[in-house]
Amino acid sequence: MITRICARLPRARYPLVVAAGRTDSAQPFEPARSELYYELPDYGVRLHFRPTDFTQVNHAVNRLLVARAIELLDPQPGERIADLFCGLGNFSLPLARRGAQVIGFEGSSELVARARTNAAANGSSPSSSKWISSRRISRPSAASTSCWSIRRARARSKS
């Protein structure tokens, strides 16, 4: 049945994934050996993910979000930055590429594992990023800000 449905669909740029009722059963269907990932080319980062992982689905907008966060945070080499609800490392890895020491906090141990794998695959040294799974992190209210990356303010000398 699925094969007949897929035959009628236009060829997509992305793999087709199917699940048999439970999210943990999600598997690539076509092509059968598919690798799911997206790239942040301005930072030389490729982030791999599973079909049920949260990602920003609009890649162009995600690139703008990351670029804006990097611009606003202006990370400096050696600076320490915490990324709350870091997920796969969407913000953390570009920050680490700029020389910051990033610690990512995430409630999902599966996403923490993927963030660690993504960090290693993108050449992040263990000293540039650390990932912590914490189920104690509570979800913010809708009224809260949508940017979870926070920055410890640098001491600035007055001229």
Side-chain angles (χ1 to χ4, degrees):
M1 172 79 151
I2 292 176
T3 306
R4 284 187 287 161
I5 293 170
C6 292
R8 294 181 182 185
L9 296 174
R11 285 278 183 223
R13 293 183 353 192
Y14 304 103
L16 179 62
V17 176
V18 295
R22 297 182 345 213
T23 58
D24 62 350
S25 70
Q27 296 296 321
F29 180 73
E30 186 177 306
R33 296 197 40 90
S34 300
E35 198 176 66
L36 298 174
Y37 66 89
Y38 63 92
E39 295 178 327
L40 297 170
D42 291 347
Y43 308 98
V45 172
R46 176 181 281 190
L47 294 140
H48 292 267
F49 61 94
R50 298 258 315 131
T52 56
D53 291 343
F54 173 80
T55 62
Q56 298 291 337
V57 295
N58 186 322
H59 299 288
V61 169
N62 185 54
R63 289 175 180 165
L64 292 172
L65 287 171
V66 172
R68 184 68 173 146
I70 298 291
E71 177 187 349
L72 292 172
L73 291 170
D74 188 27
Q76 302 299 310
E79 185 173 41
R80 295 164 70 187
I81 299 175
D83 184 0
L84 307 181
F85 305 99
C86 65
L88 303 163
N90 189 57
F91 291 96
S92 304
L93 292 176
L95 288 166
R97 286 277 192 188
R98 295 282 301 267
Q101 294 176 347
V102 180
I103 183 166
F105 294 90
E106 174 56 54
S108 164
S109 56
E110 292 85 10
L111 287 176
V112 167
R114 225 140 4 265
R116 286 183 179 133
T117 301
N118 280 327
N122 284 284
S124 286
S125 70
S127 64
S128 69
S129 57
K130 183 175 181 180
W131 311 95
I132 296 177
S133 175
S134 174
R135 300 232 180 245
R136 288 183 260 171
I137 300 173
S138 61
R139 297 283 178 196
S141 69
S144 299
T145 178
S146 62
C147 182
W148 308 120
S149 294
I150 60 172
R151 173 181 173 188
R152 181 176 13 180
R154 290 194 305 263
R156 298 191 188 259
S157 59
K158 294 185 178 182
S159 321

Coordinates of all heavy atoms in Angstrom, one line a residue, residues 41-133:
P41 N 26.0 26.4 6.7 CA 27.3 26.6 6.0 C 28.1 27.8 6.4 O 29.4 27.7 6.3 CB 26.8 26.8 4.5 CG 25.4 27.1 4.6 CD 24.9 26.5 5.9
D42 N 27.5 28.8 7.0 CA 28.3 29.9 7.5 C 29.3 29.5 8.6 O 30.2 30.2 8.9 CB 27.4 31.1 8.0 CG 26.7 31.7 6.8 OD1 27.1 31.5 5.6 OD2 25.7 32.5 7.1
Y43 N 29.0 28.4 9.3 CA 29.7 28.0 10.4 C 30.4 26.6 10.2 O 31.0 26.1 11.1 CB 28.8 27.9 11.7 CG 28.1 29.2 11.9 CD1 26.8 29.4 11.4 CD2 28.8 30.3 12.4 CE1 26.2 30.6 11.5 CE2 28.2 31.6 12.5 CZ 26.9 31.7 12.0 OH 26.2 32.9 12.1
G44 N 30.2 26.1 9.0 CA 30.8 24.8 8.7 C 30.3 23.6 9.5 O 31.0 22.8 9.9
V45 N 29.0 23.7 9.8 CA 28.4 22.7 10.7 C 27.3 21.9 10.0 O 26.5 22.4 9.2 CB 27.7 23.4 11.9 CG1 26.9 22.5 12.8 CG2 28.8 24.1 12.8
R46 N 27.4 20.6 10.2 CA 26.3 19.7 9.7 C 25.7 19.0 10.9 O 26.4 18.3 11.7 CB 26.9 18.6 8.7 CG 25.9 17.6 8.3 CD 26.5 16.6 7.4 NE 26.6 17.2 6.0 CZ 26.9 16.5 4.9 NH1 27.1 15.2 5.0 NH2 27.0 17.0 3.8
L47 N 24.4 19.0 11.0 CA 23.7 18.5 12.2 C 22.9 17.3 11.7 O 21.9 17.5 11.0 CB 22.9 19.5 12.9 CG 23.7 20.6 13.5 CD1 23.1 22.0 13.3 CD2 23.9 20.3 15.0
H48 N 23.2 16.1 12.3 CA 22.4 14.9 12.0 C 21.3 14.8 13.0 O 21.4 15.2 14.1 CB 23.3 13.7 12.0 CG 24.4 13.7 11.0 ND1 24.2 13.0 9.8 CD2 25.6 14.3 10.9 CE1 25.2 13.2 9.0 NE2 26.1 14.0 9.7
F49 N 20.2 14.2 12.5 CA 19.0 14.1 13.4 C 18.2 12.9 13.0 O 18.4 12.3 11.9 CB 18.1 15.3 13.4 CG 17.5 15.7 12.0 CD1 16.3 15.2 11.7 CD2 18.2 16.4 11.1 CE1 15.7 15.5 10.4 CE2 17.7 16.8 9.9 CZ 16.5 16.3 9.5
R50 N 17.3 12.4 13.9 CA 16.4 11.3 13.6 C 15.1 11.9 13.2 O 14.8 13.0 13.5 CB 16.2 10.5 14.9 CG 17.5 9.8 15.4 CD 17.7 8.4 15.1 NE 16.5 7.6 15.4 CZ 15.9 6.8 14.5 NH1 16.5 6.6 13.3 NH2 14.8 6.1 14.8
P51 N 14.2 11.1 12.6 CA 12.9 11.6 12.1 C 12.0 12.2 13.2 O 11.2 13.1 12.9 CB 12.2 10.3 11.6 CG 13.4 9.4 11.3 CD 14.4 9.7 12.3
T52 N 12.2 11.8 14.5 CA 11.3 12.3 15.5 C 12.0 13.4 16.3 O 11.4 13.9 17.3 CB 10.9 11.1 16.5 OG1 12.1 10.5 17.0 CG2 10.0 10.1 15.7
D53 N 13.2 13.8 16.0 CA 13.9 14.9 16.7 C 13.3 16.2 16.3 O 12.9 16.4 15.2 CB 15.4 14.9 16.4 CG 16.1 13.7 17.0 OD1 15.6 13.0 17.9 OD2 17.3 13.5 16.5
F54 N 13.3 17.1 17.3 CA 12.9 18.5 17.0 C 14.0 19.2 16.2 O 15.1 19.2 16.6 CB 12.6 19.3 18.2 CG 12.3 20.8 17.9 CD1 11.1 21.1 17.4 CD2 13.3 21.7 18.0 CE1 10.8 22.5 17.1 CE2 13.1 23.0 17.6 CZ 11.8 23.4 17.2
T55 N 13.6 19.8 15.1 CA 14.5 20.6 14.3 C 13.7 21.8 13.7 O 12.5 21.8 13.7 CB 15.1 19.9 13.1 OG1 14.1 19.5 12.2 CG2 15.9 18.7 13.5
Q56 N 14.4 22.9 13.4 CA 13.7 24.0 12.7 C 13.5 23.5 11.2 O 14.4 23.2 10.5 CB 14.6 25.2 12.7 CG 14.9 25.7 14.1 CD 13.6 26.3 14.8 OE1 12.7 26.7 14.1 NE2 13.7 26.3 16.1
V57 N 12.2 23.4 10.8 CA 12.0 22.8 9.5 C 12.2 23.8 8.3 O 12.5 23.3 7.2 CB 10.5 22.3 9.4 CG1 10.3 21.1 10.3 CG2 9.5 23.4 9.6
N58 N 12.2 25.1 8.6 CA 12.5 26.0 7.5 C 14.0 26.4 7.6 O 14.5 27.1 8.5 CB 11.7 27.3 7.7 CG 11.9 28.2 6.6 OD1 13.0 28.4 6.0 ND2 10.8 28.9 6.2
H59 N 14.8 25.7 6.8 CA 16.3 25.8 6.9 C 16.8 27.3 6.6 O 17.7 27.7 7.3 CB 17.0 24.9 5.9 CG 16.6 23.4 6.2 ND1 17.2 22.8 7.3 CD2 15.8 22.6 5.6 CE1 16.7 21.6 7.3 NE2 15.9 21.4 6.3
A60 N 16.1 28.0 5.7 CA 16.6 29.4 5.5 C 16.3 30.2 6.7 O 17.2 31.0 7.1 CB 15.8 29.9 4.3
V61 N 15.2 30.1 7.3 CA 14.9 30.9 8.5 C 15.8 30.5 9.7 O 16.3 31.3 10.4 CB 13.4 30.8 8.9 CG1 13.1 31.3 10.3 CG2 12.5 31.4 7.9
N62 N 16.1 29.2 9.8 CA 17.0 28.7 10.9 C 18.3 29.3 10.7 O 18.9 29.7 11.7 CB 17.1 27.2 10.8 CG 17.9 26.7 12.0 OD1 17.6 27.0 13.1 ND2 18.9 25.9 11.7
R63 N 18.8 29.4 9.5 CA 20.1 30.0 9.2 C 20.1 31.5 9.7 O 21.1 32.0 10.3 CB 20.5 29.9 7.8 CG 20.9 28.5 7.4 CD 21.2 28.3 5.9 NE 21.5 26.9 5.6 CZ 21.5 26.4 4.4 NH1 21.2 27.2 3.4 NH2 21.8 25.1 4.3
L64 N 19.0 32.2 9.4 CA 18.9 33.6 9.9 C 18.9 33.7 11.4 O 19.5 34.6 12.0 CB 17.7 34.2 9.3 CG 17.7 34.4 7.8 CD1 16.3 34.9 7.3 CD2 18.7 35.4 7.4
L65 N 18.1 32.7 12.0 CA 18.0 32.7 13.5 C 19.4 32.5 14.1 O 19.8 33.2 15.1 CB 17.1 31.6 14.0 CG 15.6 31.8 13.8 CD1 14.9 30.5 14.1 CD2 15.1 32.9 14.7
V66 N 20.2 31.6 13.6 CA 21.5 31.3 14.2 C 22.4 32.5 13.9 O 23.1 32.9 14.8 CB 22.1 30.0 13.6 CG1 23.5 29.8 14.0 CG2 21.2 28.8 14.0
A67 N 22.4 33.0 12.7 CA 23.3 34.2 12.4 C 22.9 35.4 13.3 O 23.8 36.0 13.8 CB 23.1 34.6 11.0
R68 N 21.6 35.6 13.6 CA 21.2 36.7 14.4 C 21.7 36.5 15.9 O 22.1 37.4 16.6 CB 19.7 36.9 14.4 CG 19.2 38.1 15.1 CD 19.7 39.4 14.5 NE 19.0 40.5 15.2 CZ 19.6 41.6 15.5 NH1 20.8 41.9 15.0 NH2 18.9 42.6 16.1
A69 N 21.5 35.2 16.4 CA 22.0 34.9 17.7 C 23.5 35.1 17.9 O 23.9 35.7 18.9 CB 21.6 33.5 18.1
I70 N 24.2 34.7 16.9 CA 25.7 34.8 16.9 C 26.0 36.3 16.9 O 26.9 36.8 17.6 CB 26.3 34.1 15.7 CG1 26.1 32.6 15.8 CG2 27.8 34.4 15.6 CD1 26.8 31.9 16.9
E71 N 25.3 37.1 16.1 CA 25.6 38.5 16.0 C 25.3 39.2 17.4 O 26.1 40.0 17.8 CB 24.7 39.1 14.9 CG 24.8 40.6 14.8 CD 23.8 41.2 13.8 OE1 23.2 40.5 13.1 OE2 23.7 42.5 13.8
L72 N 24.2 38.9 18.0 CA 23.8 39.5 19.2 C 24.7 39.0 20.4 O 25.1 39.9 21.2 CB 22.3 39.2 19.6 CG 21.3 39.8 18.7 CD1 19.9 39.3 19.0 CD2 21.3 41.3 18.8
L73 N 25.0 37.8 20.4 CA 25.9 37.3 21.5 C 27.4 37.7 21.3 O 28.1 37.8 22.3 CB 25.8 35.7 21.6 CG 24.4 35.2 22.1 CD1 24.3 33.7 21.9 CD2 24.2 35.6 23.5
D74 N 27.8 37.8 20.1 CA 29.2 38.2 19.8 C 30.1 37.3 20.6 O 30.9 37.9 21.4 CB 29.4 39.7 20.0 CG 30.8 40.1 19.5 OD1 31.3 39.5 18.6 OD2 31.3 41.1 20.1
P75 N 30.1 36.0 20.5 CA 31.0 35.1 21.3 C 32.5 35.4 21.0 O 32.9 35.6 19.9 CB 30.6 33.7 20.9 CG 30.0 33.9 19.5 CD 29.4 35.2 19.5
Q76 N 33.2 35.4 22.1 CA 34.6 35.6 22.0 C 35.4 34.3 22.5 O 34.8 33.6 23.3 CB 35.0 36.8 22.9 CG 34.4 38.1 22.6 CD 34.7 38.6 21.2 OE1 35.8 38.7 20.8 NE2 33.6 38.9 20.5
P77 N 36.5 34.1 21.9 CA 37.3 32.9 22.3 C 37.5 32.8 23.8 O 37.8 33.8 24.5 CB 38.6 33.1 21.6 CG 38.3 33.9 20.4 CD 37.2 34.9 20.9
G78 N 37.2 31.7 24.3 CA 37.3 31.4 25.8 C 36.1 31.8 26.6 O 36.0 31.5 27.8
E79 N 35.2 32.6 26.0 CA 34.0 33.0 26.8 C 33.1 31.8 27.0 O 33.1 30.9 26.2 CB 33.3 34.1 25.9 CG 32.1 34.7 26.6 CD 31.5 35.8 25.8 OE1 31.4 35.7 24.6 OE2 31.1 36.8 26.5
R80 N 32.5 31.8 28.2 CA 31.6 30.7 28.5 C 30.1 31.1 28.3 O 29.7 32.1 28.8 CB 31.8 30.3 30.0 CG 33.3 29.8 30.2 CD 33.7 29.8 31.6 NE 33.0 28.8 32.3 CZ 33.0 28.6 33.6 NH1 33.8 29.4 34.3 NH2 32.4 27.6 34.2
I81 N 29.4 30.2 27.5 CA 28.0 30.4 27.2 C 27.2 29.2 27.5 O 27.6 28.1 27.2 CB 27.9 30.8 25.7 CG1 28.7 32.1 25.4 CG2 26.4 31.0 25.3 CD1 28.7 32.5 23.9
A82 N 26.1 29.4 28.1 CA 25.1 28.3 28.4 C 24.0 28.3 27.3 O 23.5 29.4 27.0 CB 24.5 28.4 29.8
D83 N 23.7 27.2 26.8 CA 22.6 27.0 25.9 C 21.5 26.1 26.5 O 21.7 24.9 26.6 CB 23.1 26.4 24.5 CG 22.0 26.4 23.5 OD1 20.9 26.8 23.7 OD2 22.4 25.9 22.3
L84 N 20.4 26.7 27.0 CA 19.4 26.0 27.6 C 18.4 25.4 26.5 O 18.1 26.1 25.6 CB 18.6 26.8 28.6 CG 19.4 27.6 29.6 CD1 18.5 28.4 30.5 CD2 20.3 26.6 30.4
F85 N 18.1 24.1 26.7 CA 17.3 23.4 25.7 C 18.0 23.4 24.4 O 17.5 23.7 23.4 CB 15.9 24.0 25.6 CG 15.1 24.1 26.9 CD1 15.1 25.3 27.6 CD2 14.5 23.0 27.4 CE1 14.4 25.5 28.8 CE2 13.9 23.1 28.7 CZ 13.8 24.3 29.3
C86 N 19.2 22.9 24.5 CA 20.2 22.9 23.3 C 19.8 22.0 22.2 O 20.3 22.2 21.1 CB 21.6 22.7 23.8 SG 21.9 21.0 24.4
G87 N 19.0 21.0 22.4 CA 18.6 20.0 21.4 C 19.8 19.4 20.7 O 20.7 18.9 21.4
L88 N 19.9 19.4 19.4 CA 21.0 18.8 18.6 C 22.2 19.6 18.6 O 23.3 19.1 18.1 CB 20.5 18.7 17.2 CG 19.3 17.9 16.9 CD1 18.8 18.2 15.5 CD2 19.5 16.4 17.0
G89 N 22.2 20.8 19.1 CA 23.3 21.7 19.1 C 23.2 22.8 18.0 O 24.2 23.4 17.6
N90 N 22.0 23.1 17.6 CA 21.7 24.1 16.6 C 22.4 25.5 16.8 O 23.0 26.0 15.9 CB 20.2 24.3 16.4 CG 19.9 25.1 15.2 OD1 20.2 24.8 14.1 ND2 19.1 26.2 15.4
F91 N 22.4 25.9 18.0 CA 23.1 27.2 18.4 C 24.4 26.9 19.0 O 25.4 27.7 18.8 CB 22.2 28.0 19.4 CG 21.0 28.6 18.7 CD1 19.8 27.9 18.9 CD2 21.0 29.8 18.0 CE1 18.6 28.4 18.3 CE2 19.8 30.3 17.4 CZ 18.7 29.6 17.6
S92 N 24.5 25.8 19.8 CA 25.7 25.5 20.5 C 26.9 25.3 19.6 O 28.0 25.8 19.9 CB 25.5 24.3 21.4 OG 24.4 24.4 22.2
L93 N 26.8 24.5 18.6 CA 27.9 24.2 17.7 C 28.5 25.4 17.0 O 29.7 25.6 16.9 CB 27.6 23.1 16.8 CG 27.4 21.7 17.5 CD1 27.0 20.7 16.5 CD2 28.6 21.3 18.3
P94 N 27.6 26.3 16.4 CA 28.2 27.5 15.8 C 28.8 28.4 16.8 O 29.9 29.1 16.5 CB 26.9 28.2 15.2 CG 26.0 27.1 14.9 CD 26.2 26.1 16.0
L95 N 28.3 28.5 18.1 CA 29.0 29.3 19.1 C 30.3 28.7 19.4 O 31.3 29.5 19.6 CB 28.1 29.3 20.4 CG 26.8 30.1 20.3 CD1 25.9 29.8 21.4 CD2 27.1 31.6 20.3
A96 N 30.4 27.4 19.5 CA 31.7 26.8 19.8 C 32.7 27.0 18.7 O 33.9 27.2 18.9 CB 31.5 25.3 20.1
R97 N 32.2 27.0 17.4 CA 33.1 27.3 16.3 C 33.7 28.7 16.4 O 34.8 28.9 15.8 CB 32.3 27.2 15.0 CG 31.9 25.9 14.5 CD 33.1 25.3 13.8 NE 32.6 24.1 13.1 CZ 33.4 23.2 12.5 NH1 34.7 23.5 12.5 NH2 32.9 22.2 12.0
R98 N 33.0 29.6 17.0 CA 33.5 31.0 17.2 C 34.5 31.1 18.4 O 35.0 32.1 18.7 CB 32.4 32.0 17.4 CG 31.5 32.1 16.2 CD 32.0 33.0 15.1 NE 32.4 34.3 15.5 CZ 31.6 35.4 15.5 NH1 30.4 35.2 14.9 NH2 32.0 36.5 15.9
G99 N 34.8 29.9 19.0 CA 35.8 29.9 20.1 C 35.2 29.9 21.5 O 36.0 29.8 22.5
A100 N 33.9 30.1 21.6 CA 33.3 30.1 23.0 C 33.3 28.7 23.6 O 33.3 27.7 22.8 CB 31.9 30.6 22.9
Q101 N 33.4 28.6 24.9 CA 33.2 27.3 25.6 C 31.7 27.2 25.9 O 31.2 28.0 26.7 CB 34.0 27.3 26.9 CG 35.5 27.3 26.6 CD 36.3 27.4 27.9 OE1 35.8 27.7 29.0 NE2 37.6 27.2 27.8
V102 N 31.0 26.2 25.3 CA 29.6 26.1 25.4 C 29.2 24.9 26.3 O 29.8 23.9 26.1 CB 29.0 26.0 24.0 CG1 27.5 25.9 24.1 CG2 29.4 27.1 23.1
I103 N 28.2 25.2 27.1 CA 27.6 24.1 27.9 C 26.2 24.0 27.5 O 25.5 25.0 27.6 CB 27.8 24.2 29.4 CG1 27.3 23.0 30.1 CG2 27.3 25.5 29.9 CD1 27.7 22.8 31.5
G104 N 25.7 22.9 26.9 CA 24.4 22.7 26.5 C 23.6 21.9 27.5 O 24.0 20.8 27.9
F105 N 22.4 22.4 27.9 CA 21.5 21.7 28.8 C 20.3 21.3 28.0 O 19.7 22.1 27.2 CB 21.0 22.7 29.9 CG 22.1 23.1 30.8 CD1 22.9 24.2 30.6 CD2 22.4 22.3 32.0 CE1 23.9 24.6 31.5 CE2 23.4 22.7 32.8 CZ 24.1 23.8 32.6
E106 N 19.9 20.0 28.1 CA 18.8 19.5 27.4 C 18.1 18.5 28.3 O 18.7 17.7 28.9 CB 19.3 18.9 26.1 CG 18.2 18.1 25.3 CD 17.0 19.0 24.9 OE1 17.2 20.1 24.3 OE2 15.9 18.6 25.2
G107 N 16.7 18.5 28.2 CA 15.9 17.5 29.0 C 15.9 16.1 28.4 O 15.5 15.2 29.1
S108 N 16.1 16.0 27.1 CA 16.1 14.7 26.5 C 17.5 14.1 26.4 O 18.3 14.6 25.7 CB 15.5 14.9 25.0 OG 15.7 13.7 24.3
S109 N 17.6 12.9 27.0 CA 18.9 12.3 26.9 C 19.3 11.8 25.5 O 20.5 11.8 25.1 CB 19.0 11.1 27.9 OG 18.0 10.2 27.6
E110 N 18.3 11.5 24.7 CA 18.5 11.2 23.3 C 19.1 12.3 22.5 O 20.0 12.2 21.7 CB 17.2 10.7 22.6 CG 16.7 9.4 23.2 CD 15.8 9.5 24.4 OE1 15.5 10.7 24.8 OE2 15.5 8.5 25.1
L111 N 18.5 13.5 22.8 CA 19.1 14.7 22.1 C 20.5 15.1 22.6 O 21.3 15.5 21.8 CB 18.1 15.9 22.2 CG 16.8 15.8 21.4 CD1 15.9 17.0 21.7 CD2 17.2 15.7 19.9
V112 N 20.7 14.9 23.8 CA 22.1 15.1 24.4 C 23.1 14.2 23.7 O 24.1 14.6 23.2 CB 22.1 14.9 25.9 CG1 23.6 14.9 26.4 CG2 21.4 16.1 26.6
A113 N 22.7 12.9 23.5 CA 23.6 12.0 22.8 C 23.8 12.4 21.4 O 24.9 12.4 20.9 CB 23.0 10.6 22.8
R114 N 22.8 12.9 20.7 CA 22.9 13.4 19.3 C 23.8 14.6 19.3 O 24.6 14.8 18.4 CB 21.5 13.6 18.7 CG 21.5 13.0 17.3 CD 20.3 12.3 16.8 NE 19.1 12.2 17.5 CZ 18.8 11.1 18.3 NH1 19.7 10.1 18.5 NH2 17.7 11.0 18.9
A115 N 23.6 15.5 20.3 CA 24.4 16.8 20.3 C 25.9 16.4 20.5 O 26.8 17.0 19.8 CB 24.0 17.7 21.5
R116 N 26.2 15.4 21.3 CA 27.6 15.0 21.5 C 28.1 14.4 20.2 O 29.3 14.7 19.8 CB 27.7 13.9 22.6 CG 27.5 14.5 24.0 CD 27.7 13.4 25.1 NE 27.6 14.1 26.4 CZ 26.8 13.6 27.4 NH1 26.1 12.5 27.2 NH2 26.8 14.2 28.5
T117 N 27.3 13.6 19.5 CA 27.7 13.0 18.3 C 28.0 14.1 17.2 O 29.0 14.0 16.5 CB 26.7 12.0 17.8 OG1 26.5 10.9 18.8 CG2 27.1 11.3 16.5
N118 N 27.0 15.0 17.2 CA 27.2 16.1 16.2 C 28.5 16.9 16.5 O 29.2 17.4 15.6 CB 26.0 17.0 16.2 CG 24.8 16.4 15.4 OD1 25.1 15.8 14.4 ND2 23.6 16.7 15.8
A119 N 28.7 17.2 17.8 CA 29.9 17.9 18.2 C 31.2 17.2 17.7 O 32.1 17.8 17.1 CB 29.9 18.2 19.7
A120 N 31.2 15.9 18.0 CA 32.4 15.1 17.5 C 32.5 15.1 16.0 O 33.6 15.3 15.5 CB 32.3 13.7 18.1
A121 N 31.4 14.9 15.3 CA 31.4 14.8 13.9 C 31.9 16.2 13.2 O 32.4 16.2 12.1 CB 30.1 14.4 13.3
N122 N 31.6 17.3 13.9 CA 32.0 18.6 13.4 C 33.3 19.1 14.0 O 33.6 20.3 13.8 CB 30.9 19.6 13.7 CG 29.7 19.4 12.8 OD1 29.7 19.8 11.7 ND2 28.6 18.8 13.3
G123 N 34.0 18.2 14.6 CA 35.4 18.5 15.1 C 35.5 19.4 16.3 O 36.5 20.0 16.5
S124 N 34.4 19.5 17.1 CA 34.5 20.2 18.3 C 35.3 19.5 19.3 O 35.1 18.3 19.5 CB 33.1 20.5 18.9 OG 32.4 21.4 18.2
S125 N 36.3 20.2 20.0 CA 37.1 19.5 21.0 C 36.3 19.4 22.3 O 35.4 20.2 22.5 CB 38.4 20.3 21.2 OG 38.0 21.5 21.9
P126 N 36.6 18.4 23.1 CA 35.9 18.2 24.4 C 36.0 19.5 25.2 O 35.1 19.7 26.1 CB 36.6 17.1 25.0 CG 37.2 16.3 23.9 CD 37.5 17.3 22.9
S127 N 37.0 20.3 25.1 CA 37.1 21.5 25.9 C 36.2 22.6 25.4 O 35.9 23.6 26.1 CB 38.5 22.0 25.9 OG 39.0 22.3 24.6
S128 N 35.7 22.5 24.2 CA 34.9 23.6 23.6 C 33.4 23.4 23.8 O 32.6 24.4 23.7 CB 35.2 23.8 22.1 OG 34.7 22.7 21.4
S129 N 33.0 22.2 24.1 CA 31.5 22.0 24.4 C 31.3 20.9 25.3 O 32.1 19.9 25.4 CB 30.8 21.7 23.0 OG 31.4 20.6 22.4
K130 N 30.3 21.0 26.1 CA 29.9 20.0 27.1 C 28.4 19.9 27.1 O 27.7 20.9 26.9 CB 30.4 20.4 28.5 CG 30.1 19.4 29.6 CD 30.7 19.9 30.9 CE 30.4 18.8 32.0 NZ 31.0 19.3 33.3
W131 N 27.9 18.7 27.2 CA 26.4 18.5 27.1 C 25.9 17.8 28.3 O 26.4 16.8 28.8 CB 26.1 17.6 25.8 CG 26.9 18.1 24.7 CD1 28.1 17.7 24.2 CD2 26.5 19.2 23.8 NE1 28.5 18.5 23.1 CE2 27.5 19.4 22.9 CE3 25.4 20.0 23.8 CZ2 27.4 20.4 21.9 CZ3 25.3 21.0 22.8 CH2 26.3 21.1 21.8
I132 N 24.8 18.3 28.9 CA 24.2 17.8 30.1 C 22.7 17.5 29.9 O 22.0 18.4 29.4 CB 24.4 18.8 31.3 CG1 25.9 19.0 31.5 CG2 23.6 18.4 32.5 CD1 26.2 20.0 32.6
S133 N 22.3 16.3 30.3 CA 20.9 16.0 30.2 C 20.3 16.3 31.6 O 20.8 15.8 32.6 CB 20.7 14.5 29.9 OG 19.4 14.1 30.0

